[in-house]
Amino acid sequence: MKAYIYAPLPQSVHHFFSKDRGGDDDSVPHCTVLFVGEIEDANVDKLKEILASEAKRVSPIKCRFGSLKSFPAGEYGVPWYIEIDADPALEQLHKTLYSKLEDADIEVHHMWKDYIPHATLKYLPEGEVYDGDTPTGEFIITSVELDLE
């Protein structure tokens, strides 16, 4: 199964996110905190314990929606996303979770060198450009959650 750690976005911006974003993404609109990737069943409880411990430490993190961008095409097409400009605490949370999972011998499959806080709007075929509306303004991250697929 795959594991993702994310921060839910405010309900007020959910209408910007298609219910069918493409690929295998049927999650609630969110800011990706850490893509863990494939995880062995035996490690799920360790992952949940680590996340529960770190989630207690999450204090409100100020964020602002940024620019529309895309990652390189992957298995499901081109992921178009809205960049999230956040207090440094979000990147620190990403790094802490990454480190604690590795210390617990849980392999993290995060494929990018740098952490890019973002919210995926839609996966499109290569060559197509996202032309929908995008959220703007500020919001606060107050929690992180785990999605297991």
Side-chain angles (χ1 to χ4, degrees):
M1 80 180 71
K2 289 182 185 173
Y4 306 81
I5 299 171
Y6 67 93
L9 293 178
Q11 186 72 37
S12 61
V13 300
H14 282 205
H15 66 279
F16 289 103
F17 297 84
S18 170
K19 290 193 189 303
D20 176 21
R21 288 193 288 281
D24 63 354
D25 190 351
D26 61 355
S27 59
V28 298
H30 65 273
C31 171
T32 302
V33 176
L34 180 63
F35 172 72
V36 179
E38 290 294 329
I39 184 169
E40 296 175 17
D41 291 345
N43 286 331
V44 171
D45 286 340
K46 281 198 284 188
L47 170 59
K48 287 179 179 179
E49 288 172 19
I50 291 166
L51 182 58
S53 174
E54 291 306 312
K56 291 179 197 172
R57 303 181 213 289
V58 174
S59 54
I61 300 172
K62 293 180 185 178
C63 301
R64 170 180 283 285
F65 290 109
S67 302
L68 174 67
K69 296 188 175 183
S70 64
F71 289 121
E75 180 180 356
Y76 302 115
V78 176
W80 285 87
Y81 66 91
I82 190 81
E83 200 169 42
I84 294 177
D85 300 319
D87 284 348
L90 183 58
E91 184 170 359
Q92 185 58 51
L93 176 62
H94 166 85
K95 288 178 179 178
T96 298
L97 287 167
Y98 196 118
S99 175
K100 293 208 177 229
L101 292 176
E102 285 193 326
D103 289 348
D105 292 325
I106 298 173
E107 186 176 0
V108 177
H109 299 272
H110 181 80
M111 60 189 85
W112 306 103
K113 181 180 177 185
D114 297 318
Y115 172 55
I116 301 173
H118 69 281
T120 301
L121 292 159
K122 185 98 175 140
Y123 289 84
L124 292 173
E126 216 166 341
E128 286 188 30
V129 176
Y130 183 82
D131 63 357
D133 291 333
T134 59
T136 60
E138 296 180 349
F139 65 98
I140 305 270
I141 288 175
T142 58
S143 66
V144 290
E145 298 182 19
L146 175 63
D147 185 23
L148 297 170
E149 298 179 355

